[in-house]
Amino acid sequence: MTSAARLLETTFHSVYDYVTRAYRPLRHWIGALTLATFIAMIAAVSHIFPVSNWDMFAYTAAVLEPEIPDPVQLHDRSFAIVKENISPGEFLTLTQDRDYRIRQYEDPAAFSTMLGFYRLKLGYIETLRALSGGMDPVKAMRLVSIASAVAIGLLLLVWLAREKALMYGPVVAAMLVIGDFSGSAALLSPDLYASAFLLLAAFLYIERQDVGAALCLLIALSIRPDHLAFIGVFFVFALIYGPGRWVMTATFILAAVAYQFILKDESHPGWWIHLWFTHVEYVPTLEGFHPPFSPLIYLQMLVRSTVRSMVGQNWLAALLALVIFYAKVVEPPRMAERSRILLYAVFTSICAKYLVFPHFETRFYFPYLMIMGMILLIAWHRQQEKTAVTSA
């Protein structure tokens, strides 16, 4: 090695040692600031550059239904409100770029048949109605999305602080990027709103606050009823292992009853039609639409959704990475019992939800991936601390 190379290597190690010594006492502050800055940036971008999607029309109509019972007036008012909140180009795209959207724009009767997909998100709709006293439903949707993003960020900061792991703020920010957090924050949908309560439920369960966790699970169910799958799986694991057994049993019973109440509205098209509409075709109207169940078509949906998950989405790769991390790095016997139970329940529920309704978009799995990621990150952090203490 030449003298110049030795000098360069010595300089590099000296700078690295200096940066390491300077970083160590500040690592928690730097980690917290990084994550907080990322959350603030996502909230700001979502506010300045909001995303427009067709569901805005349907959710606006669902909010206004009690005030405007006439389908034609409801249709016209809903489209008018959305038009006031987006650019002319966006409105043209959402109403004219394909046959389905043209039909919904021109035919109030066809539009009204679609509202059954949206009415069942009772918690989301009621929140929007409460906010609509001071703003229109579209602005209320944007407020809910941004507030949900901020709430999730604050919860993650509290979670890390509780475990004295704020230095991993950049890691959590990376997890949020992989989980399409920014896309969910900008999108006007109930997904991130429900995610905030699911993440809070997970944190409270780990903190032995079972009643609070149960309430959060029931609120998440009211926002997105398909989270019943997670509540059911979670109840089974709690029943088998013990912690929170009776509270989670009561939660599942209440959730099952509430789910039946939510679906009692005959306007909801049902599981198979919802699957067909999502994976086969956007039919212009659900009036008289009753496709027969086909196992072959269902298998085609699973295959198509799996391919789309691998090609254009992150959730399947993220799930595989978390499983590998768990198998290779984390030592299950050293994990806290509640964290282990929750981890198993979340993973199983992802598989169960996918078999029942194969969504391919990452946003549908965001809360579950974040719960798994936080549990494994904290478990690894605790192992590292214990190893360091033992070595010392």
Side-chain angles (χ1 to χ4, degrees):
M1 182 181 295
T2 63
S3 58
R6 283 195 297 271
L7 177 62
L8 181 62
E9 183 177 358
T10 302
T11 302
F12 174 80
H13 284 298
S14 298
V15 172
Y16 177 79
D17 291 340
Y18 175 79
V19 171
T20 300
R21 287 195 301 272
Y23 167 76
R24 190 166 184 79
L26 299 173
R27 64 190 186 280
H28 292 288
W29 289 101
I30 294 172
L33 181 61
T34 300
L35 181 56
T37 302
F38 176 78
I39 296 296
M41 179 183 68
I42 295 300
V45 170
S46 300
H47 174 68
I48 298 170
F49 304 106
V51 173
S52 300
N53 59 323
W54 188 89
D55 288 352
M56 292 189 299
F57 298 113
Y59 282 123
T60 298
V63 171
L64 297 176
E65 267 189 306
E67 305 173 16
I68 311 176
D70 181 70
V72 176
Q73 293 180 6
L74 180 65
H75 169 276
D76 294 346
R77 181 59 181 152
S78 300
F79 277 79
I81 288 175
V82 174
K83 187 176 183 178
E84 294 171 0
N85 284 276
I86 61 178
S87 69
E90 289 174 315
F91 186 78
L92 184 66
T93 299
L94 293 176
T95 58
Q96 299 295 324
D97 80 324
R98 65 191 69 169
D99 291 340
Y100 171 79
R101 292 179 174 179
I102 294 173
R103 178 69 179 274
Q104 302 308 307
Y105 181 52
E106 297 178 348
D107 186 351
F111 176 71
S112 66
T113 67
M114 300 297 160
L115 299 185
F117 289 126
Y118 303 87
R119 292 188 187 107
L120 78 166
K121 280 70 175 258
L122 290 178
Y124 185 57
I125 298 300
E126 290 302 324
T127 300
L128 297 179
R129 283 179 184 156
L131 292 173
S132 293
M135 62 190 75
D136 65 54
V138 174
K139 290 184 177 64
M141 283 182 248
R142 288 176 177 160
L143 178 60
V144 169
S145 292
I146 293 172
S148 299
V150 173
I152 288 173
L154 291 175
L155 173 59
L156 293 174
L157 282 168
V158 170
W159 197 335
L160 290 175
R162 183 74 176 82
E163 299 292 341
K164 297 180 174 59
L166 281 169
M167 77 282 277
Y168 297 116
V171 177
V172 175
M175 288 163 53
L176 291 170
V177 172
I178 295 171
D180 193 27
F181 177 70
S182 60
S184 297
L187 190 67
L188 302 187
S189 78
D191 302 318
L192 205 62
Y193 189 32
S195 296
F197 287 99
L198 286 173
L199 283 163
L200 181 56
F203 174 73
L204 292 175
Y205 176 75
I206 290 174
E207 291 293 314
R208 300 177 182 275
Q209 301 295 322
D210 294 337
V211 175
L215 290 174
C216 289
L217 289 174
L218 292 173
I219 293 172
L221 175 79
S222 74
I223 298 169
R224 279 203 66 97
D226 58 339
H227 290 307
L228 178 66
F230 170 63
I231 296 174
V233 172
F234 190 19
F235 144 71
V236 171
F237 277 92
L239 187 65
I240 293 172
Y241 286 95
R245 172 183 294 157
W246 301 118
V247 173
M248 290 307 138
T249 299
T251 302
F252 174 68
I253 293 172
L254 289 173
V257 172
Y259 185 80
Q260 295 302 317
F261 173 79
I262 291 171
L263 293 185
K264 75 174 184 178
D265 184 354
E266 295 180 357
S267 67
H268 185 265
W271 169 74
W272 179 244
I273 292 179
H274 201 161
L275 264 178
W276 186 286
F277 193 85
T278 303
H279 293 284
V280 179
E281 62 176 329
Y282 285 96
V283 294
T285 178
L286 295 180
E287 185 69 32
F289 181 69
H290 302 289
F293 175 75
S294 169
L296 179 60
I297 293 177
Y298 172 70
L299 288 174
Q300 290 174 346
M301 292 177 184
L302 282 174
V303 172
R304 187 183 301 114
S305 186
T306 302
V307 172
R308 296 180 74 177
S309 298
M310 291 189 293
V311 173
Q313 299 292 320
N314 298 330
W315 74 269
L316 201 55
L319 181 62
L320 179 61
L322 289 171
V323 170
I324 293 174
F325 184 82
Y326 170 75
K328 296 294 185 180
V329 178
V330 176
E331 300 176 29
R334 297 174 66 179
M335 290 179 65
E337 186 178 26
R338 283 177 174 256
S339 296
R340 193 167 62 249
I341 292 170
L342 185 57
L343 180 69
Y344 296 159
V346 169
F347 174 77
T348 306
S349 68
I350 291 176
C351 300
K353 281 171 63 69
Y354 189 74
L355 287 175
V356 172
F357 203 114
H359 285 299
F360 66 90
E361 295 178 80
T362 300
R363 64 189 174 97
F364 292 107
Y365 306 98
F366 166 77
Y368 303 112
L369 294 174
M370 286 304 302
I371 292 171
M372 289 184 67
M374 289 297 293
I375 289 173
L376 293 175
L377 178 63
I378 296 304
W380 178 76
H381 168 64
R382 288 180 174 179
Q383 287 179 193
Q384 295 297 107
E385 284 194 329
K386 289 179 181 178
T387 301
V389 170
T390 302
S391 299

